[in-house]
Amino acid sequence: MNTPFVLQKLGYSAQNEPIIGGALIFLIAGLSIGYLAFVRNEMNAGIVLKVGSVLLLAFAALALFWPQRPWPH
Amino acid sequence: MTLTTEPDTEGLEIEADTTVGGYEATQRKRWPRYLAHAILIIAVFVFVSPFVWAFFTSLKPESEIFATIYQIIPSEPTAENYVQVWNEQPLDRWVMNSLIISTGIVFFTVLLDTLAGYALAKGRFRGRGITLTLVIGTLVIPPQVVLVPLFLEMNWLGWGNTYWAIMILFIANPFGTFMMRQFFMTIPDSLLDAARIDGCNTFEIYTRIMLPMAKPALASLTVFTFIFAWGAFLWPLIIVNDGAMFPLQVGIALLTGPYTSNWGQLLAAAIMAAVPVLTAYLLAQQTFMEGIALSGGGKGQ
């Protein structure tokens, strides 16, 4: 399995499939922002950064367990 | 000729006149402000009125939209357009696609632009000037010019119909690199020298000194990029041809049919599409303003 094929598979998901690529993006962004917000004190993170990181992780779970409302509905 | 110690009242009279005149001058100075406010109010009306019209029209039943087109506020507001568009279109998937694409673009843009801006502002390496010139040079290339070559390239990579293909055009935009570079230029070198004496290496200076100091600029870059990515239309329209992968803007645009369109649903979807952008702006409004002030006028201060 070559690299472009794996990336293609990760980056595409059909209508009623879990969105793996999206979950990956949300997970990376959520963990990075969470690290800055909760671990690094020098960032002096506000509520937006903290809630944002949790929200991104929630979106990652949502994308992973997609679809909640299969099409056609 | 007589010498006198009497005060020169003539001069005072002139002063008094000037004072009276000064009052008039103050009155005159107010006019530019009134004019500016009048222009601003007209501009606000021009920009806000379509949004207000779209919002109120989305609350009208489909049959009344064109029958009562001059009656802005609906007599019997209803949410049926919102319910119908949610039930009849895969709007949840389009919203999710837009969120994925926007999050990816914002995250990688902020990461790469801060790194590049830091290197171009504080790095000492051969070719820094020409690199900066090239980065700024790419600002003048219209994105439409690269669409066809990029489309061919994405298909050659096998990335057609993927999130990566949509995101890659917008990641690491030169505007963000330039903006972050301008911001990092305002941070004094003595701070970096102090950090280096304390044992920080170049990357630690970036994470521990530069990033925390750049929070206002990061916030404004995030909001700028999010608004831009959320509204992206042309490139996703070209590179994606599967309805499941449409971002919201492309999905909404394709709700219009060749012969007839459901305008109520279209406007309801458009209003829903505007909500995340408004939320992002309102959440980061203060830091957004600070970021513009810091990155725009910091270097000259």
Side-chain angles (χ1 to χ4, degrees), chain B residues 30-110:
Chain B
R30 285 183 182 169
W31 277 108
R33 210 192 316 168
Y34 290 150
L35 188 67
H37 278 84
I39 292 169
L40 285 173
I41 288 167
I42 292 168
V44 166
F45 179 78
V46 167
F47 283 104
V48 172
S49 57
F51 186 78
V52 172
W53 181 85
F55 174 69
F56 283 123
T57 307
S58 72
L59 297 175
K60 290 179 183 176
E62 185 67 31
S63 57
E64 283 185 23
I65 288 177
F66 288 102
T68 60
I69 198 161
Y70 294 112
Q71 183 193 335
I72 305 287
I73 299 171
S75 52
E76 291 178 11
T78 172
E80 71 179 58
N81 288 319
Y82 289 87
V83 176
Q84 278 177 0
V85 77
W86 184 256
N87 287 332
E88 292 175 12
Q89 309 294 340
L91 210 66
D92 49 351
R93 177 62 194 258
W94 294 345
V95 170
M96 184 52 115
N97 288 340
S98 278
L99 277 174
I100 290 167
I101 293 161
S102 303
T103 304
I105 291 171
V106 169
F107 177 76
F108 288 108
T109 297
V110 169

Side-chain angles (χ1 to χ4, degrees), chain A:
Chain A
M1 196 180 280
N2 56 5
T3 311
F5 182 72
V6 173
L7 285 172
Q8 214 263 344
K9 288 292 282 180
L10 281 175
Y12 171 80
S13 63
Q15 193 78 58
N16 291 323
E17 285 179 0
I19 310 170
I20 305 292
L24 212 60
I25 290 170
F26 283 132
L27 190 70
I28 293 168
L31 287 177
S32 307
I33 294 170
Y35 173 70
L36 288 178
F38 292 104
V39 180
R40 301 302 285 265
N41 293 327
E42 57 265 41
M43 280 302 284
N44 197 19
I47 190 77
V48 174
L49 215 57
K50 287 177 179 169
V51 172
S53 64
V54 176
L55 201 65
L56 284 171
L57 293 176
F59 277 136
L62 188 67
L64 199 61
F65 295 106
W66 197 267
Q68 302 297 315
R69 196 176 67 139
W71 180 264
H73 39 258

Side-chain angles (χ1 to χ4, degrees), chain B residues 239-293:
Chain B
I239 198 68
V240 173
N241 56 25
D242 185 335
M245 295 295 290
F246 284 162
L248 187 56
Q249 313 300 338
V250 177
I252 290 173
L254 297 181
L255 286 180
T256 53
Y259 305 110
T260 179
S261 299
N262 202 331
W263 294 105
Q265 288 189 21
L266 194 67
L267 290 170
I271 293 294
M272 283 195 270
V275 170
V277 176
L278 288 174
T279 312
Y281 176 70
L282 290 174
L283 279 176
Q285 192 179 14
Q286 196 182 347
T287 40
F288 184 63
M289 296 297 181
E290 287 170 9
I292 290 171

Side-chain angles (χ1 to χ4, degrees), chain B residues 41-231:
Chain B
I41 288 167
I42 292 168
V44 166
F45 179 78
V46 167
F47 283 104
V48 172
S49 57
F51 186 78
V52 172
W53 181 85
F55 174 69
F56 283 123
T57 307
S58 72
L59 297 175
K60 290 179 183 176
E62 185 67 31
S63 57
E64 283 185 23
I65 288 177
F66 288 102
T68 60
I69 198 161
Y70 294 112
Q71 183 193 335
I72 305 287
I73 299 171
S75 52
E76 291 178 11
T78 172
E80 71 179 58
N81 288 319
Y82 289 87
V83 176
Q84 278 177 0
V85 77
W86 184 256
N87 287 332
E88 292 175 12
Q89 309 294 340
L91 210 66
D92 49 351
R93 177 62 194 258
W94 294 345
V95 170
M96 184 52 115
N97 288 340
S98 278
L99 277 174
I100 290 167
I101 293 161
S102 303
T103 304
I105 291 171
V106 169
F107 177 76
F108 288 108
T109 297
V110 169
L111 177 72
L112 295 175
D113 283 355
T114 49
L115 283 168
Y118 174 44
L120 290 172
K122 298 295 179 188
R124 297 285 174 268
F125 57 92
R126 190 175 289 176
R128 189 178 68 154
I130 191 81
T131 309
L132 180 65
T133 309
L134 284 173
V135 167
I136 295 170
T138 55
L139 277 169
V140 300
I141 300 172
Q144 290 83 356
V145 172
V146 297
L147 285 186
V148 173
L150 204 65
F151 175 79
L152 296 173
E153 195 180 341
M154 289 299 114
N155 282 330
W156 178 74
L157 284 171
W159 282 11
N161 266 328
T162 61
Y163 294 120
W164 324 131
I166 303 173
M167 291 189 321
I168 203 152
L169 182 68
F170 305 107
I171 286 174
N173 64 337
F175 166 73
T177 306
F178 182 68
M179 184 178 153
M180 293 313 300
R181 184 238 179 209
Q182 292 303 99
F183 180 80
F184 287 140
M185 291 282 281
T186 64
I187 295 176
D189 286 345
S190 55
L191 212 62
L192 277 66
D193 295 338
R196 212 172 280 282
I197 289 167
D198 283 345
C200 284
N201 59 30
T202 306
F203 189 70
E204 280 174 332
I205 291 173
Y206 164 74
T207 57
R208 290 180 187 276
I209 309 288
M210 291 303 211
L211 278 188
M213 289 190 79
K215 261 172 63 181
L218 287 177
S220 58
L221 179 63
T222 300
V223 177
F224 272 138
T225 313
F226 180 78
I227 291 170
F228 184 67
W230 187 263

